[in-house]
Amino acid sequence: MPEIKVLPEEVVSKIAAGEVIERPASVLKELMENSLDAGASKIEIEIKKAGRGLIRVHDDGRGMDREDLRLALGRHATSKLNVFDDIYSLATFGFRGEALYSVFAVSRLKMASFRAGADSGYAIEGEGGRVTAELPAPPVKGTTIEAADLFFNTPARAKFMKSDAAERAQLIKTVEEAALANLGVSFRLVIDGTEILSLPALPGGLWENLKNRAAAIFGRNIYGGLARVEGKTAGMAVYGLVSRPDALSATRANQHFFVNRRPVASALLRQAFYRGYGHMLTGRHPACALFVELDPGSFDANIHPQKRDVKFSSENEIFKTISNTIYEELLSKQTAAVEMTAPAGESRFAAPDVPAYREGAAPPPPAAETGSLFDAPGQAPPQDAAAAPDWRGHDLAYLGQLAKSYLLFESAAGLLVVDQHAAQERVLFEKYLDEFSKGSIKVQPLLVPLETELSRSQMETVLKWRDWLNSAGFEIDQRGPAVALLRAAPALFYFTQPAFAEFLGYLSEVLGEPEKAAEDIKRNIIATMACKKSIKAHDFVKPQEALRLMEDLKKTKDSYHCPHGRPTLFYLSGSDIARRFQRSSAL
Ligand code: ADP
Ligand code: MG
């Protein structure tokens, strides 16, 4: 008996589906791409239960007749490819004819469609790859496809789903990217009965429409920091909206790259994009909706099952064009802004050294600040502290303040120089964590709630964390789809509106899944951020306040560092000072 068996069709289809359909957002992406390929000008999406319950996409595209409806469900069924070489010149979104086949294999599917000129509309229904009904449907222009109970027959895959909130965020991002890339198409997204996005197609030109979409999608804070860039070389064009160097974010969450209007996750594009900022990046991340237009024959989008990654035939050219375009545009804008103060003819910016892109080169973007946040509290390197005498054992005499920032004290061991804000942050940080661990955070309701606008996916993250943030003393509410309100905060902290906007924007970008992070890490992150953003005591300090601060600082576990790991103080010992005056003995 032969050992090799040919797998039954049902198993084969599930394996294929596993490659194309990873999560609800992959289904949505495929269905929307088909609608766009069908020439739709309007796409309406309805989602239930984070896509596991229902994904429904309705378009007003060219539709399918009865025969096409049947064929569409078959493997390698496509109307977009005739000979293999077409793969390299196709401008449509999909061409492997696997999407509907795969979705059908792992869901209960209903398709209804009407093609102009046909006698009637037609519908087809089935589940797990088997057709159960074919029936006439009303002659409504276009196509409606519903995939319900996703992964009902592949429980192993269902287990890989993330939390509802994470899947929802991914679904929203999928629609956002389609909407950024297809400005002439209107999109509407409803999740569990709530309208999340409503993006009408506007009659204006490219830039006007792109800006409108970007404002609706990124939220006001990020949108306000975007600049327009545009560049061209032989065979390619680059354009889009990118963060100004003075308006960077904490993570990469708001970066969208497109090649010929197809959303892609390409390391090459990301690296070229970062390189374009040269030295203007400061460990933070720019947002973007960046479009690259190329001859369809010069890249291959078919190397990835979900068509997410692409392979370019001339990587160096692409890398250079993108980085130079961004650099030059940002540079010219910056120079325009500083021209008033800089002497004529003198540029403050050196041309970036743009190296050729190498496969596998270490990506230039620095790690998200998450890493340093996780490491910072409590374990900053103690060398400088070890070298200094323990200031806590000495009586301090307050000498005065320097530059409204540093407090000077005399002690038996020498001159103690304290960074006032760093010391205040350390004290706040430990007080707050102490209240937290005792379950006794004093919460102060705000008479006038602070509000800030977030992107939809940032809002999803904030909502995921709402209960936990509540236990941390922050009462956060949602108004409309994208406005977050702060109704109460720990009494130790005081936020201005812009500080709250940054606090929440930052948190929504660095926080991942609430259930996955360890409690003490979560507490450290929130304490670090809150201390950083909270207004500190006024700049001018009275002597009693200075001494009081040092009493508080004495009681902290690490009085030598602020929560981010910067030093809070240093000593100039008597012998250090004597040495500077070339004296042989101490004071
Ligand atoms: P592909 O998009 O790679 O061709 P799919 O499995 O996604 O493969 O779709 C198969 C075929 O079904 C498409 O080629 C197209 O002819 C047809 N089709 C799918 N969705 C739609 C739609 N919304 N409107 C019109 N035709 C569609
Ligand atoms: Mg398709």
Side-chain angles (χ1 to χ4, degrees):
M1 230 178 84
E3 287 183 3
I4 295 178
K5 294 182 196 73
V6 173
L7 295 171
E9 173 67 15
E10 206 188 303
V11 177
V12 174
S13 70
K14 282 184 189 170
I15 294 172
E19 283 181 12
V20 181
I21 306 302
E22 192 184 34
R23 54 199 300 191
S26 353
V27 174
L28 179 58
K29 178 167 180 282
E30 295 291 346
L31 298 183
M32 279 193 308
E33 286 183 355
N34 282 343
S35 297
L36 291 164
D37 283 345
S41 64
K42 189 174 85 184
I43 300 182
E44 290 181 348
I45 301 130
E46 194 185 334
I47 305 286
K48 285 190 180 145
K49 291 198 193 128
R52 274 169 273 223
L54 176 76
I55 298 173
R56 181 176 189 273
V57 175
H58 168 71
D59 67 55
D60 62 353
R62 80 175 65 88
M64 285 172 275
D65 62 18
R66 180 177 183 164
E67 190 56 21
D68 275 348
L69 261 184
R70 283 190 191 144
L71 286 172
L73 291 174
R75 186 160 204 196
H76 306 306
T78 178
S79 58
K80 301 162 196 172
L81 186 70
N82 290 314
V83 290
F84 187 74
D85 277 354
D86 285 354
I87 277 193
Y88 295 103
S89 56
L90 270 167
T92 59
F93 284 99
F95 37 71
R96 292 193 311 210
E98 268 187 336
L100 284 180
Y101 171 81
S102 303
V103 176
F104 190 27
V106 292
S107 71
R108 301 187 215 279
L109 195 76
K110 278 188 198 170
M111 306 204 294
S113 199
F114 172 66
R115 178 177 286 167
D119 304 338
S120 127
Y122 214 73
I124 200 164
E125 294 181 16
E127 57 180 53
R130 272 193 313 275
V131 174
T132 53
E134 292 188 24
L135 45 155
V140 179
K141 183 172 197 275
T143 304
T144 305
I145 300 187
E146 282 183 25
D149 301 328
L150 190 62
F151 303 127
F152 78 97
N153 56 350
T154 52
R157 182 145 290 267
K159 277 198 208 118
F160 281 101
M161 296 296 94
K162 302 217 171 104
S163 69
D164 276 7
E167 295 299 342
R168 258 198 313 270
Q170 200 57 40
L171 287 158
I172 295 170
K173 186 170 185 205
T174 306
V175 180
E176 288 175 342
E177 291 193 332
L180 283 169
N182 297 278
L183 303 169
V185 180
S186 75
F187 289 84
R188 182 163 182 265
L189 170 64
V190 174
I191 300 186
D192 296 324
T194 306
E195 182 178 90
I196 303 288
L197 291 168
S198 172
L199 304 165
L202 299 162
L206 167 79
W207 288 105
E208 190 186 338
N209 288 348
L210 182 57
K211 285 182 181 170
N212 273 316
R213 286 258 153 118
I217 286 167
F218 285 116
R220 203 173 299 146
N221 291 328
I222 291 176
Y223 174 74
L226 296 178
R228 170 178 159 171
V229 294
E230 207 173 358
K232 235 188 199 136
T233 48
M236 83 176 277
V238 187
Y239 66 92
L241 299 171
V242 309
S243 291
R244 291 192 314 266
D246 61 344
L248 303 175
S249 319
T251 70
R252 298 182 189 144
N254 292 294
Q255 297 174 355
H256 306 284
F257 297 98
F258 305 86
V259 173
N260 291 6
R261 294 189 304 125
R262 180 201 303 277
V264 294
S266 151
L268 173 92
L269 297 189
R270 182 159 42 79
Q271 292 178 25
F273 172 60
Y274 275 84
R275 175 67 57 170
Y277 282 80
H279 62 281
M280 295 179 268
L281 285 179
T282 47
R284 294 170 67 79
H285 302 270
C288 70
L290 193 67
F291 298 84
V292 177
E293 299 293 336
L294 289 171
D295 172 33
S298 66
F299 69 98
D300 185 355
N302 223 18
I303 56 163
H304 189 265
Q306 288 136 39
K307 293 170 279 171
R308 234 359 240 176
D309 202 358
V310 283
K311 180 115 191 68
F312 301 98
S313 54
S314 54
E315 298 188 327
N316 286 342
E317 280 312 301
I318 291 172
F319 188 92
K320 268 195 223 149
T321 307
I322 293 176
S323 49
N324 286 341
T325 299
I326 288 176
Y327 188 82
E328 278 158 21
E329 295 261 324
L330 294 176
L331 175 68
S332 65
K333 279 169 190 143
Q334 288 242 347
T335 337
V338 297
E339 235 151 41
M340 324 263 246
T341 50
E346 200 181 296
S347 169
R348 292 192 174 190
F349 300 94
D353 174 22
V354 177
Y357 170 77
R358 273 171 295 116
E359 187 73 53
E369 282 180 14
T370 336
S372 57
L373 267 182
F374 276 72
D375 300 340
Q379 59 157 61
Q383 322 92 302
D384 48 346
D390 188 354
W391 63 278
R392 285 179 285 202
H394 299 284
D395 280 339
L396 298 176
Y398 181 57
L399 298 175
Q401 197 187 28
L402 195 66
K404 284 192 181 162
S405 304
Y406 308 105
L407 308 178
L408 308 178
F409 298 88
E410 185 187 347
S411 88
L415 176 69
L416 184 63
V417 182
V418 178
D419 181 323
Q420 175 183 327
H421 284 135
Q424 284 166 347
E425 277 191 31
R426 165 56 61 184
V427 169
L428 261 185
F429 177 79
E430 293 204 10
K431 272 190 184 162
Y432 174 64
L433 284 183
D434 185 54
E435 287 189 1
F436 208 153
S437 66
K438 290 186 181 133
S440 63
I441 299 176
K442 285 179 215 72
V443 176
Q444 173 82 52
L446 307 186
L447 283 177
V448 182
L450 293 178
E451 58 176 74
T452 182
E453 197 180 317
L454 299 171
S455 73
R456 305 301 192 273
S457 35
Q458 285 177 321
M459 181 58 96
E460 280 296 317
T461 310
V462 169
L463 293 180
K464 265 192 269 187
W465 283 82
R466 177 149 64 176
D467 290 347
W468 186 84
L469 286 171
N470 210 15
S471 74
F474 294 87
E475 196 188 305
I476 290 175
D477 243 349
Q478 182 183 17
R479 203 189 57 214
V483 176
L485 296 178
L486 180 69
R487 296 197 179 280
L492 283 171
F493 302 128
Y494 182 81
F495 296 106
T496 59
Q497 194 285 328
F500 168 62
E502 279 180 39
F503 171 67
L504 212 56
Y506 192 96
L507 280 183
S508 65
E509 290 179 31
V510 301
L511 296 173
E513 294 291 298
E515 60 271 29
K516 285 203 186 120
E519 182 66 22
D520 56 335
I521 292 177
K522 295 193 253 190
R523 289 183 184 191
N524 278 340
I525 291 182
I526 187 118
T528 310
M529 275 317 293
C531 291
K532 183 168 177 162
K533 290 299 164 202
S534 175
I535 292 214
K536 314 303 178 305
H538 46 276
D539 293 336
F540 180 74
V541 197
K542 294 191 193 119
Q544 313 90 288
E545 291 169 333
L547 290 164
R548 169 86 240 179
L549 177 64
M550 295 315 281
E551 282 307 307
D552 284 345
L553 190 61
K554 239 179 225 182
K555 293 184 209 128
T556 60
K557 294 193 195 90
D558 179 358
S559 63
Y560 291 97
H561 300 95
C562 82
H564 315 97
R566 276 195 305 114
T568 50
L569 52 85
F570 71 87
Y571 249 114
L572 274 179
S573 69
S575 47
D576 280 339
I577 295 174
R579 210 175 308 120
R580 281 169 193 264
F581 292 109
Q582 299 174 2
R583 284 174 176 251
S584 51
S585 62
L587 293 175

